[in-house]
Amino acid sequence: MQTPAPFGYERATSVDHAIQLLEQLGPEARLVAGGHSLLPMMKIRLAQPEHLIDINPLAAELGSISIDGDSLVIGAMTRHNDLLASPLVGEHFPILQDAERVIADPVVRNRGTVGGSLCQADPAEDLSAALSALHATATIRGSSGSRSVPVRELHVGPYETVVGDAEILTEIRVPIRNGCGSAYEKVERRVGDWAIASAAAVVWMDGGIITDAGVGLAAVGADHFVSPAAEAALRGQQPTEDVIVAAAAAAAAECNPSTDQRGPAEYKRHLAGELTARALRRAVARAQGGQ
């Protein structure tokens, strides 16, 4: 039988209370919301926190999706299914709903949270690639106040983020800009599994020209979940097939996949390029008013 090591349990009643508990209990305390990543790791004792701080009571405070000026604001306690069902998200960033459709299964999507997924920092995590491609920003709060960190700088390694021991991720802000098209593509061994490889593509277009771009990659060893070389190959270009193929090739060349039970490295590199091309074609079509 798989059982976790002994741990203490606290229930936070507000963000300030959660931060206070983190400060009191020390660096071996962990926040838990959906728990679908942390609890399995605890059962096999890959993770052994001394205390769990339940932040489910914070759902009303941190679980909203709204427009604030020129940004879509996603609370860190937003459940995956709420992101999938949101008309605001579908209107502005269909890439997020593309990604949500292929995250795990309904049980996980009903309870798992956006903030939990980002803070888990799994190298194959879907939303990290999508939000990095969107140039989103994370808001992190501690007792001394809040700070903003680009999602591209949130992850410092596998299962590691810049969120401090006594800090909490509170929201994600995605800038809304005209002429945006976005899409997400993923290959997995079975429905709901972690990706063998996945690609996120975002383009901003004006007058038939790609003025800016975001290309995210998951499960293929891309630094900070992005491909700057692929983005550079797109900026200032018309979205022709040759340009898309060149950007996809740049993404494949820039990633660093590893051979494992999901496949050999060269297969994953090939997928990274192919999925980037597919996502870019859909993103361009959406930016031009199609689906």
Side-chain angles (χ1 to χ4, degrees):
M1 180 181 295
Q2 296 177 341
T3 57
F7 60 90
Y9 174 85
E10 300 285 347
R11 192 169 173 86
T13 56
S14 67
V15 173
D16 288 339
H17 185 213
I19 293 169
Q20 181 183 24
L21 288 170
L22 286 168
E23 291 177 332
Q24 291 175 350
L25 298 174
E28 295 305 315
R30 294 290 182 271
L31 302 175
V32 62
H36 289 288
S37 296
L38 178 60
L39 296 182
M41 294 175 71
M42 291 175 61
K43 287 182 178 180
I44 60 175
R45 305 206 176 187
L46 187 60
Q48 297 187 48
E50 294 178 2
H51 301 273
L52 288 185
I53 301 170
D54 187 346
I55 58 171
N56 278 289
L58 279 56
E61 189 175 355
L62 298 180
S64 64
I65 301 171
S66 62
I67 299 293
D68 180 19
D70 58 357
S71 295
L72 175 73
V73 182
I74 303 167
M77 281 289 294
T78 299
R79 310 288 178 179
H80 291 296
N81 262 351
D82 293 334
L83 197 66
L84 180 58
S86 168
L88 281 177
V89 173
E91 176 186 355
H92 294 286
F93 302 113
I95 184 176
L96 296 176
Q97 295 185 332
D98 290 347
E100 286 291 1
R101 290 187 185 97
V102 294
I103 289 177
D105 54 40
V107 173
V108 172
R109 292 195 294 268
N110 277 332
R111 295 298 299 167
T113 64
V114 173
S117 291
L118 292 179
C119 289
Q120 177 68 7
D122 192 292
E125 204 278 307
D126 298 284
L127 287 182
S128 295
L131 289 166
S132 293
L134 286 165
H135 298 272
T137 300
T139 302
I140 300 169
R141 185 167 153 189
S143 58
S144 60
S146 297
R147 60 191 177 102
S148 295
V149 176
V151 171
R152 295 179 174 217
E153 299 174 13
L154 181 66
H155 306 99
V156 295
Y159 307 105
E160 293 183 283
T161 73
V162 299
V163 181
D165 291 334
E167 292 184 320
I168 180 172
L169 173 66
T170 57
E171 67 182 20
I172 300 92
R173 303 180 73 91
V174 189
I176 298 172
R177 297 154 59 186
N178 292 332
C180 181
S182 61
Y184 191 77
E185 295 282 348
K186 176 179 178 178
V187 168
E188 54 202 335
R189 292 185 299 179
R190 57 185 181 271
V191 173
D193 198 4
W194 293 108
I196 298 173
S198 63
V202 186
V203 295
W204 290 270
M205 297 183 60
D206 184 17
I209 301 296
I210 300 173
T211 57
D212 199 1
V215 175
L217 297 168
V220 291
D223 288 344
H224 301 289
F225 291 93
V226 292
S227 174
E231 295 169 352
L234 293 163
R235 293 190 188 98
Q237 304 294 320
Q238 293 182 335
T240 64
E241 183 64 16
D242 286 346
V243 167
I244 288 172
V245 169
E254 195 167 30
C255 68
N256 186 30
S258 300
T259 296
D260 58 19
Q261 71 273 19
R262 288 184 169 85
E266 284 310 305
Y267 169 59
K268 294 180 181 181
R269 189 182 300 280
H270 169 76
L271 279 181
E274 177 60 30
L275 295 178
T276 297
R278 293 181 190 178
L280 280 169
R281 292 183 190 110
R282 284 208 297 142
V284 167
R286 285 171 168 172
Q288 295 172 334
Q291 289 296 319

